[in-house]
Amino acid sequence: MPTLILLRHGQSQWNLEDRFTGWVDVDLTAQGEAEAKKGGELIKAAGIAIDRVFTSVLTRAIRTSWLALGAAGQAFVPEVKDWRLNERHYGGLTGLNKTETAAKHGADQVKVWRRSYDIPPPELAPGGEFDFSKDRRYAGLDLPSTESLKTTLVRVQPYWDAEIAPCLRAGETLLVAAHGNSLRAIVKVLFGVSDDDIVHVEIPTSNPLVIELDANLKPTAARYLDESRATAIPAV
């Protein structure tokens, strides 16, 4: 039966600085690197052999996958990168300090922008420091100027259906190393989580979530490999 491992990237520099990151390509901190290696060690200890890896086009997720695979003794595993697994686009909040933004706009408003399912942050103005339209990773694409979790799901689900799900149906064991919100979108699809309930789902960094699936890609079992840092998993 197919197996899916979801791995959220380790701490990034902007996580450390408490800034809204989104699509900005910041790297891992030393702690984030250690977290990614720990995730790989847990995969090795569990005896899981990975067939293929999917990740975003952002350095923090890519390096998390490399470090985890290396620690698992599986650096040879083929990897596919795609922008549709990127973190959600934080629009006009991109680069701002979260605490300062809450002081300016109110904690309740910032909570809505961060945690609601379908209310996005203000749009990112074109031409600024964080305008990604000239980044060659996104050449020819119609890029968002902001995203909610709902619109993140709109780009993640077609990629899931077209690229990831067929590999699982072929019986492969996959690692998806990505971001909090792109992984939450996958969890919503797999477990059928409601719009109201998905806002309460939180995936801890670099703690592999191992999901066993049946032939129809319905979860039959799910567990975090580090039980001491586990969060609630939707019922299978």
Side-chain angles (χ1 to χ4, degrees):
M1 289 294 102
T3 300
L4 175 68
I5 307 168
L6 301 182
L7 185 66
R8 183 179 178 183
H9 68 79
Q11 184 192 64
S12 75
Q13 184 59 40
W14 278 18
N15 292 147
L16 180 63
E17 296 174 12
D18 199 30
R19 300 171 72 180
F20 289 100
T21 310
W23 285 25
V24 179
D25 197 17
V26 299
D27 205 347
L28 298 173
T29 61
Q31 177 181 323
E33 292 173 349
E35 290 172 347
K37 291 175 184 176
K38 177 63 175 178
E41 291 166 359
L42 290 166
I43 291 170
K44 183 178 182 178
I48 302 173
I50 298 165
D51 296 306
R52 196 184 311 266
V53 180
F54 291 89
T55 188
S56 73
V57 296
L58 298 174
T59 299
R60 58 194 186 272
I62 295 167
R63 293 195 63 233
T64 292
S65 74
W66 291 351
L67 291 165
L69 287 174
Q74 302 183 57
F76 56 87
V77 172
E79 181 173 271
V80 181
K81 305 177 183 73
D82 198 281
W83 72 275
R84 286 169 290 185
L85 292 176
N86 278 13
E87 178 59 286
R88 68 179 278 204
H89 192 311
Y90 272 101
L93 300 183
T94 301
L96 300 180
N97 178 275
K98 295 175 183 177
T99 302
E100 293 173 359
T101 303
K104 180 179 179 179
H105 296 282
D108 289 343
Q109 178 62 68
V110 172
K111 184 177 180 180
V112 168
W113 286 333
R114 291 187 65 186
R115 301 301 303 177
S116 69
Y117 176 62
D118 56 1
I119 301 175
E123 293 187 1
L124 181 71
E129 180 182 2
F130 304 122
D131 184 343
F132 305 105
S133 62
K134 293 181 174 57
D135 189 319
R136 68 192 182 106
R137 281 172 283 197
Y138 311 114
L141 298 176
D142 183 15
L143 299 183
S145 56
T146 186
E147 288 181 311
S148 62
L149 178 56
K150 181 178 181 178
T151 51
T152 301
L153 177 64
V154 167
R155 63 167 158 88
V156 171
Q157 184 157 11
Y159 186 69
W160 167 270
D161 292 340
E163 304 296 335
I164 301 177
C167 295
L168 290 169
R169 290 195 181 94
E172 293 187 10
T173 295
L174 304 182
L175 171 66
V176 177
H179 308 264
N181 284 294
S182 53
L183 294 179
R184 288 169 68 220
I186 290 173
V187 166
K188 190 176 192 307
V189 171
L190 271 183
F191 291 88
V193 183
S194 71
D195 296 355
D196 290 336
D197 289 340
I198 194 61
V199 301
H200 304 297
V201 173
E202 184 71 21
I203 298 174
T205 58
S206 295
N207 188 356
L209 174 57
V210 180
I211 305 168
E212 298 173 15
L213 305 161
D214 65 18
N216 295 315
L217 303 191
K218 299 297 183 184
T220 59
R223 71 190 192 281
Y224 281 106
L225 294 185
D226 183 353
E227 295 181 354
S228 68
R229 295 194 302 116
T231 57
I233 301 171
V236 298

